[in-house]
Amino acid sequence: MENSRCENCIIRQFNSLRAMSREELKKVSDSKTTKKLKKGDPLFEEGEKLNGVFCVRNGVSKLSKLSANGKDQIVKLATKGEVIGQRSVIAEESANLSAIAVSDMEVCFIPKESINTTLQSNPNFTLEVLRHMAHDLKEADDVIVNMSQKTVKQRVAEAFIYLKNNFGLDEDGFLALTLSREDISNVVGTATESAIRIISEFKKKGLIHTSGKKIGIKNEKKLQELVNGF
Amino acid sequence: MENSRCENCIIRQFNSLRAMSREELKKVSDSKTTKKLKKGDPLFEEGEKLNGVFCVRNGVSKLSKLSANGKDQIVKLATKGEVIGQRSVIAEESANLSAIAVSDMEVCFIPKESINTTLQSNPNFTLEVLRHMAHDLKEADDVIVNMSQKTVKQRVAEAFIYLKNNFGLDEDGFLALTLSREDISNVVGTATESAIRIISEFKKKGLIHTSGKKIGIKNEKKLQELVNGF
DNA sequence: TCCAGAAGATGACAAATATCATAGTCAGGG
DNA sequence: CCCTGACTATGATATTTGTCATCTTCTGGA
């Protein structure tokens, strides 16, 4: 399968692996394993020690953390081209988040040895990973501010816009990534009933429309105004 | 002033600068400038382009972001030994946070050139910075979960424990870092009045005691139980 | 030392959000 | 094809949190 060689993998263009040399890439390719996951399957669970990272070829995974009250908080949705588990491997800590597939996925598992040796010898690669993490950190800061300063309604509206911008639309114009109402509430950080109620309200106001679990944005402008506080 | 040479600075032991070589450190030392700030002085403001990073020798700075509704959200408190502004310099973006002194401070300003050249040539340094950022990212994830899943009361209680663990106590047993009620509410992500009310409640329940702005923890165990949800 | 403005405190009330209950709807396996 | 369990939806209600108003208490200069 020539297509399964990292050297030829297009996904690589989107993540830090592009800073690897030809030889480094060859090593990674030789040591990696490919894995298929079904919706709902875990890549790893919170607290688990990771022996490597996952490079997403297809599908989407939610990264979430269980809170004391038994609810999951989704911290990030990772999709094609993203590398999952970097943070834990780099910090040499067990995973602080669980990763679960929210759609069928295809991922490559890269053993940490390949990563670590490259980190120690290729400053370009390390710098590239660092830049990615700097970006993630900024996003995390933004999420903190949103969580504490925006209303649930604003956060739901923002989530829909985020889903559109990051995962796009399907052929019928619905958000391509379909999340359960519970997952939506876990992204937004609210009770499932509250999220459902707000979805109903948005429907009534003509901001969105739905078909089963699928959600379509009808009036993005108004949705965005809502996010900004009218 | 031999004491102002980075090579001899003890602070360095606590941050990524320890991974620099003797020569790199010399360059940093030659290009750095020392700055004294009074409580309330800004190191930089959100949106500003940073020409370097700040290494904290003394005092504490709050890193905060202004939200749409006009409230600041404090994302992090940085103290002795921490480096501020790394993220922006590395990502080559303008600052996403404002940094303001919450106590009198002494900081060293290190121009970004010294940082960038070392990042490109010394993998150990880059890796060290990366590890720090991985740690910050984990902390940010935890904050997100706390913000969305814990009550204001729990977050206030947690803030006091955090302040004790990270900044210690003064000679009288009060929290060594004294924040205004407004700053406390901005850390916790709530209205100032709500924070004040909860402080009053904690006082009545004998969990804490106060003297002016100073806060002393009386019953850490109960405070911790409260954080964990009884 | 005194005064003005800021910060702290508290009540009354409004708004946002969670919780509990219940019913309808959907999707997949026998 | 139908049944069952999970998901969605909505009402009623309780709880939490924010807002506005008012008062008090500090605190740092003139």
Side-chain angles (χ1 to χ4, degrees):
Chain A
M1 279 209 274
E2 51 291 303
N3 199 17
S4 74
R5 304 290 315 165
C6 292
E7 297 92 313
N8 305 321
C9 181
I10 320 168
I11 294 308
R12 180 169 61 87
Q13 294 310 321
F14 303 122
N15 65 40
S16 337
L17 295 187
R18 70 174 160 217
M20 281 196 176
S21 71
R22 177 162 287 279
E23 306 87 72
E24 285 163 343
L25 219 43
K26 189 177 176 328
K27 267 192 202 153
V28 166
S29 201
D30 289 344
S31 61
K32 79 160 205 292
T33 56
T34 304
K35 228 178 161 179
K36 288 189 190 227
L37 295 143
K38 284 198 194 132
K39 184 173 170 171
D41 288 348
L43 277 86
F44 54 83
E45 304 272 1
E46 198 179 332
E48 210 172 289
K49 287 220 172 107
L50 300 190
N51 297 316
V53 301
F54 297 87
C55 179
V56 181
R57 285 169 63 96
N58 248 309
V60 179
S61 166
K62 62 177 172 183
L63 302 182
S64 66
K65 186 168 166 135
L66 197 63
S67 70
N69 61 35
K71 270 190 198 160
D72 266 331
Q73 173 66 36
I74 297 179
V75 166
K76 189 178 161 68
L77 292 166
T79 185
K80 190 193 286 190
E82 294 197 68
V83 177
I84 302 178
Q86 290 192 74
R87 204 209 62 78
S88 306
V89 166
I90 288 163
E92 293 169 335
E93 296 168 349
S94 39
N96 63 323
L97 302 170
S98 297
I100 295 173
V102 290
S103 65
D104 291 353
M105 294 186 81
E106 206 178 334
V107 301
C108 293
F109 174 79
I110 306 173
K112 64 178 171 195
E113 289 72 26
S114 317
I115 302 293
N116 279 334
T117 56
T118 312
L119 279 175
Q120 267 149 28
S121 57
N122 180 346
N124 282 330
F125 176 67
T126 315
L127 195 49
E128 197 64 33
V129 175
L130 184 54
R131 291 219 177 94
H132 268 270
M133 204 161 296
H135 178 254
D136 282 353
L137 185 55
K138 180 197 168 116
E139 285 201 331
D141 286 343
D142 289 342
V143 172
I144 291 172
V145 177
N146 282 342
M147 282 295 172
S148 61
Q149 307 285 4
K150 289 193 175 151
T151 65
V152 174
K153 214 173 286 185
Q154 289 176 306
R155 303 205 302 270
V156 172
E158 193 164 42
F160 290 154
I161 292 174
Y162 171 86
L163 290 175
K164 183 191 164 191
N165 292 339
N166 286 273
F167 304 98
L169 304 175
D170 66 13
E171 55 281 3
D172 301 318
F174 291 102
L175 294 175
L177 180 63
T178 301
L179 294 175
S180 70
R181 302 298 194 246
E182 189 180 3
D183 277 341
I184 292 174
S185 74
N186 288 345
V187 167
V188 165
T190 190
T192 306
E193 296 96 321
S194 298
I196 289 176
R197 247 180 261 282
I198 288 168
I199 290 171
S200 299
E201 190 189 326
F202 284 0
K203 252 197 291 191
K204 273 185 206 137
K205 289 192 179 158
L207 303 178
I208 62 172
H209 59 118
T210 65
S211 163
K213 294 180 208 246
K214 287 191 173 300
I215 288 175
I217 294 181
K218 259 172 114 174
N219 193 336
E220 183 166 354
K221 189 155 163 278
K222 281 217 170 172
L223 221 45
Q224 186 60 60
E225 281 169 10
L226 212 164
V227 172
N228 300 335
F230 316 113
Chain B
M1 281 211 271
E2 50 291 305
N3 200 16
S4 74
R5 304 290 314 165
C6 292
E7 297 92 312
N8 305 321
C9 179
I10 320 168
I11 294 309
R12 182 169 60 88
Q13 293 310 320
F14 302 122
N15 64 41
S16 338
L17 295 186
R18 70 173 162 216
M20 281 196 177
S21 71
R22 175 162 289 279
E23 306 87 70
E24 286 163 343
L25 220 42
K26 190 176 175 325
K27 266 193 203 153
V28 166
S29 201
D30 290 342
S31 62
K32 79 159 204 289
T33 56
T34 303
K35 226 178 161 179
K36 289 189 188 227
L37 295 143
K38 286 198 190 131
K39 183 173 171 172
D41 289 347
L43 277 85
F44 55 82
E45 304 272 3
E46 196 179 335
E48 209 172 289
K49 288 221 171 110
L50 300 189
N51 298 315
V53 301
F54 297 87
C55 179
V56 181
R57 284 169 65 98
N58 248 311
V60 179
S61 166
K62 61 177 173 185
L63 302 181
S64 66
K65 187 171 165 129
L66 196 65
S67 70
N69 62 36
K71 272 190 197 158
D72 265 331
Q73 174 65 36
I74 297 179
V75 167
K76 188 179 162 69
L77 292 166
T79 185
K80 191 194 286 191
E82 295 197 69
V83 177
I84 302 178
Q86 291 192 73
R87 204 210 62 77
S88 305
V89 166
I90 287 162
E92 293 169 335
E93 295 168 350
S94 39
N96 62 323
L97 303 171
S98 297
I100 296 173
V102 291
S103 64
D104 290 353
M105 295 186 81
E106 207 178 333
V107 301
C108 293
F109 174 78
I110 305 173
K112 66 179 169 191
E113 290 72 25
S114 319
I115 302 294
N116 280 335
T117 56
T118 312
L119 278 176
Q120 266 150 29
S121 58
N122 181 345
N124 281 331
F125 176 67
T126 314
L127 196 48
E128 198 64 32
V129 174
L130 183 56
R131 290 217 176 95
H132 268 269
M133 203 161 296
H135 179 253
D136 283 352
L137 184 56
K138 180 197 167 117
E139 285 201 332
D141 286 344
D142 289 344
V143 172
I144 291 172
V145 177
N146 283 342
M147 283 295 171
S148 61
Q149 307 284 4
K150 289 193 175 151
T151 64
V152 175
K153 213 174 287 184
Q154 289 176 306
R155 302 206 302 271
V156 172
E158 193 164 41
F160 291 153
I161 292 174
Y162 172 85
L163 290 175
K164 184 191 164 191
N165 291 340
N166 286 274
F167 304 97
L169 304 176
D170 66 14
E171 55 280 4
D172 302 317
F174 290 103
L175 294 175
L177 180 63
T178 303
L179 294 175
S180 70
R181 302 297 194 245
E182 191 180 1
D183 277 342
I184 292 174
S185 74
N186 288 345
V187 166
V188 165
T190 191
T192 307
E193 297 96 320
S194 297
I196 290 176
R197 246 180 262 281
I198 288 168
I199 289 171
S200 299
E201 190 189 327
F202 284 180
K203 253 198 289 193
K204 273 187 205 136
K205 289 192 180 160
L207 303 178
I208 62 173
H209 58 119
T210 65
S211 163
K213 293 179 207 250
K214 288 190 172 299
I215 289 175
I217 293 179
K218 260 172 113 175
N219 193 335
E220 183 167 354
K221 188 155 164 277
K222 280 217 171 175
L223 220 46
Q224 185 62 59
E225 281 170 9
L226 212 164
V227 173
N228 300 333
F230 315 113

